[in-house]
Amino acid sequence: MINLLALLVLAAGVQDTTLAVIPRPAQLTRGTGTFLLTPATVVVTDRATRQIGYQLSDWLQPATGYRLAVSGAAGTAARTISLRVDPALSRLGEEGYRLTVAGTRITIRAFRPAGVFYGVETLRQLLPPDVFRAAPVAGVVWTVPAVEIEDMPRFPWRGAHLDVSRSFMPKEFVKKYIDLLALHKLNRFHWHLTDDQGWRIEIKKYPLLTSIGAWRRNSLVGVQRSYADTTQWVYDNVPHGGFYTQDDIREVVAYATARFITVVPEIEMPGHAQAAIAAYPWLGNTGQQLEVLGHWGVDENILNPSDSAIHFMQDVLTEVLALFPSHWIHTGGDEAPKRQWQSSPLAQERIRQLGLHSENELQSWLTAQMSQWLAGRGRSLIGWDEILEGGMEGLAPNAVVMSWRGIDGGIAAAQAGHDVVMTPTSNTYFDYYQSQDLAKEPLAIGGFLPLETVYAYEPVPPALDSVQAKRVLGTQGQIWTEYQRTPKNVEFMVFPRLVALAEVAWTPRELRNFSDFTARLAKHFTRLSVLDVNYRPLR
Ligand code: ACM
């Protein structure tokens, strides 16, 4: 009977959840026995993985109270953790790894260092959850169960976004967020740095962007029920702001790089740019002195399409390129109402001169200019799916579309030969409510996105054929912060939904199983608690 049950469990593809590795590895086989970590254990690395060896030693030190030696050779060590790249493992790709835990030896092998890093992240999860503590824990025996894992991600783009404009997030939290991304084997941090409510990145050539644009007088309180009736809006009269210096940015980028995470900066244009226009009114269409916005929504103040505004955007991006090694540079492009361009002689003259037919075509022309400018510097523009609204003509072939208003933008772009990242509100917007019992949830923008729906997401739309499907780089979770004003609030909205999305992005589709996931999540919550993550419990 017990054997039959075991067989049924195997047949259902249910993993031994006691290990609770998240995201679930592609292949995992339990062995017998355990590896015992001791102060005399040596981390043995090759040159390519030496830094990862130091990182492992650093990570184990606070909770165990001892620092493992990191060396190029095992010497006389009785127990070793061996890290090494192996050119013979090309089948594991850029990010896959093999992890073997047996007796007195742990080995992690991968084709590339990134894979070794992910092997180390898995190893941390195989240790008791207390390994994530920041100070020595008494009475824990640090064992790792014998196991054989061969693992690689399904998608190359496994992302998490963070809006730091609506609510400024301190650099320390940004680094914590990056640590949490790495723990879940996510590899893209989409940093939403500019918007109507605040410009958050120091640009040396335009100091007013931060001295004026990073600060607002007040913020809307509660829900903005009506755009039309502004008399209903209530403000807190508390100034809000902040920005990252270029040194801060370099620190965050280096921090992420050490965790094999690419930081994709987003500089919004032409919409969601009121903070920039407040700093430099000549960027706008009306000449009016505007304020950095203290309420939310889609604002009609957008950048003008003049040569000087285009040069401004290129100047900003020049400094951005020097700070961010990312191949992808996000230029926003969403929610840019065209009313001001409709009544602007300058914009209308541009449309006429260029032989365009609409304001949407003008936005597409602008996007095309920026995409070519970036391509000429070896980078790719990435933008929200509105960049397709005026057609794809002139768009650099390497431009990437982030499909958020459903999946149609992603399908159209993939069919036209562009790479896409699937970020539909229906499955990846973590600013949506987590249950329909709103009284029990913190204030959110609206919507309803339960954990199951995130977990059930299939990033490759069925409409794509097998060649087009390869254009789907992956998926990413979004957290907009109009209503998530503090890091703790952000954590509550993001976890565990981002954990579910990490498994969507990493684990082979056929191995995804929601009840198996939630069983592992129960233990994973212990890790998140140790890490002081304000996750939302399952209720
Ligand atoms: C977006 O949510 N406006 C991209």
Side-chain angles (χ1 to χ4, degrees):
M1 191 61 196
I2 287 179
N3 280 344
L4 183 61
L5 195 65
L7 268 177
L8 283 173
V9 166
L10 274 178
V14 176
Q15 189 187 334
D16 177 345
T17 53
T18 57
L19 295 184
V21 178
I22 291 190
R24 179 175 172 172
Q27 283 178 40
L28 183 155
T29 314
R30 288 293 292 267
T32 49
T34 55
F35 174 97
L36 175 68
L37 194 72
T38 67
T41 304
V42 174
V43 179
V44 183
T45 79
D46 59 5
R47 205 185 274 263
T49 61
R50 183 64 45 85
Q51 281 308 319
I52 302 169
Y54 288 131
Q55 211 165 16
L56 172 61
S57 181
D58 285 350
W59 276 339
L60 296 176
Q61 193 274 332
T64 61
Y66 46 79
R67 181 174 295 282
L68 302 185
V70 180
S71 169
T76 58
R79 288 187 174 77
T80 55
I81 302 174
S82 164
L83 315 181
R84 195 175 289 280
V85 291
D86 182 349
L89 290 177
S90 61
R91 70 190 155 81
L92 295 177
E94 296 295 309
E95 299 179 296
Y97 65 94
R98 279 184 67 92
L99 166 64
T100 308
V101 180
T104 57
R105 204 167 147 80
I106 293 176
T107 59
I108 299 175
R109 297 285 181 267
F111 184 52
R112 298 281 189 225
V116 172
F117 177 79
Y118 291 129
V120 165
E121 286 288 9
T122 296
L123 175 59
R124 295 169 88 196
Q125 292 194 9
L126 292 173
L127 281 155
D130 272 331
V131 78
F132 293 100
R133 292 217 175 267
V137 192
V140 177
V141 182
W142 302 105
T143 58
V144 185
V147 72
E148 177 88 39
I149 292 174
E150 187 162 311
D151 197 13
M152 60 195 292
R154 180 174 172 205
F155 290 106
W157 188 295
R158 306 179 303 279
H161 149 286
L162 179 64
D163 169 10
V164 295
S165 173
R166 276 53 176 269
S167 297
F168 179 67
M169 296 288 150
K171 182 181 69 178
E172 290 312 312
F173 176 67
V174 174
K175 288 187 290 182
K176 178 181 182 183
Y177 196 67
I178 285 170
D179 276 326
L180 290 167
L181 267 56
L183 175 67
H184 297 93
K185 300 187 174 78
L186 297 168
N187 66 355
R188 303 280 182 264
F189 171 47
H190 173 169
W191 205 359
H192 185 80
L193 286 163
T194 71
D195 215 302
D196 300 317
Q197 293 81 7
W199 182 283
R200 307 280 177 232
I201 171 173
E202 178 189 26
I203 298 295
K204 304 272 191 200
K205 186 160 184 180
Y206 299 106
L208 303 188
L209 285 173
T210 42
S211 65
I212 292 175
W215 308 94
R216 62 177 189 253
R217 276 194 303 135
N218 54 28
S219 306
L220 198 82
V221 177
V223 184
Q224 176 180 310
R225 298 244 172 257
S226 159
Y227 280 127
D229 185 3
T230 58
T231 62
Q232 300 288 313
W233 297 358
V234 179
Y235 289 91
D236 61 5
N237 290 318
V238 178
H240 178 84
F243 67 94
Y244 310 100
T245 66
Q246 294 203 348
D247 285 336
D248 289 336
I249 301 266
R250 277 186 275 269
E251 179 186 339
V252 168
V253 169
Y255 194 87
T257 302
R259 287 152 183 77
F260 293 86
I261 290 171
T262 301
V263 184
V264 180
E266 181 179 358
I267 307 294
E268 281 265 22
M269 59 186 80
H272 286 291
Q274 184 156 332
I277 301 169
Y280 296 102
W282 53 267
L283 291 170
N285 295 283
T286 66
Q288 245 189 317
Q289 175 64 60
L290 302 171
E291 284 191 31
V292 178
L293 271 189
H295 61 265
W296 328 119
V298 177
D299 196 76
E300 68 179 87
N301 290 295
I302 70 172
L303 299 173
N304 71 54
S306 66
D307 286 341
S308 49
I310 292 170
H311 286 144
F312 164 85
M313 294 179 236
Q314 292 172 342
D315 286 344
V316 167
L317 289 182
T318 297
E319 294 191 31
V320 166
L321 296 191
L323 291 167
F324 294 91
S326 171
H327 177 71
W328 302 272
I329 303 294
H330 206 303
T331 57
D334 58 315
E335 299 177 324
K338 302 299 184 311
R339 241 202 355 223
Q340 292 189 344
W341 283 2
Q342 281 160 3
S343 51
S344 149
L346 184 146
Q348 293 305 314
E349 177 60 14
R350 258 282 190 229
I351 288 172
R352 201 190 54 75
Q353 274 175 353
L354 292 167
L356 303 175
H357 305 97
S358 68
E359 291 73 24
N360 279 345
E361 286 188 14
L362 182 56
Q363 180 175 343
S364 274
W365 175 83
L366 257 181
T367 308
Q369 301 301 297
M370 301 315 290
S371 72
Q372 289 161 18
W373 187 90
L374 284 167
R377 285 155 183 79
R379 312 290 183 105
S380 285
L381 176 144
I382 181 164
W384 300 109
D385 57 64
E386 285 93 331
I387 66 172
L388 304 174
E389 277 183 342
M392 286 182 236
E393 194 174 335
L395 193 61
N398 71 357
V400 182
V401 171
M402 211 166 243
S403 190
W404 75 281
R405 298 176 304 171
I407 61 174
D408 291 349
I411 292 171
Q415 287 174 341
H418 289 278
D419 284 346
V420 300
V421 178
M422 300 304 290
T423 58
T425 55
S426 56
N427 299 77
T428 71
Y429 265 47
F430 301 155
D431 55 343
Y432 283 15
Y433 279 99
Q434 302 188 63
S435 84
Q436 285 172 310
D437 191 353
L438 302 196
K440 292 208 177 123
E441 301 291 334
L443 183 66
I445 197 163
F448 173 47
L449 177 54
L451 186 65
E452 293 89 321
T453 306
V454 178
Y455 195 79
Y457 183 49
E458 172 43 45
V460 179
L464 299 182
D465 66 29
S466 60
V467 174
Q468 295 160 349
K470 293 207 170 32
R471 292 290 179 186
V472 177
L473 298 180
T475 185
Q476 162 181 301
Q478 279 51 247
I479 185 67
W480 303 98
T481 55
E482 294 95 333
Y483 302 98
Q484 278 72 52
R485 304 299 313 278
T486 67
K488 284 289 147 211
N489 201 191
V490 166
E491 289 174 10
F492 192 85
M493 300 304 277
V494 169
F495 295 95
R497 289 185 289 190
L498 186 62
V499 183
L501 196 66
E503 192 148 307
V504 170
W506 180 279
T507 302
R509 186 180 181 182
E510 60 279 8
L511 288 188
R512 268 197 274 147
N513 174 309
F514 188 64
S515 60
D516 172 77
F517 171 71
T518 50
R520 281 177 287 123
L521 193 56
K523 179 162 175 190
H524 194 63
F525 279 155
T526 312
R527 298 181 190 121
L528 295 182
S529 293
V530 172
L531 290 167
D532 197 26
V533 176
N534 183 34
Y535 65 86
R536 180 189 182 279
L538 304 184
R539 295 200 257 262

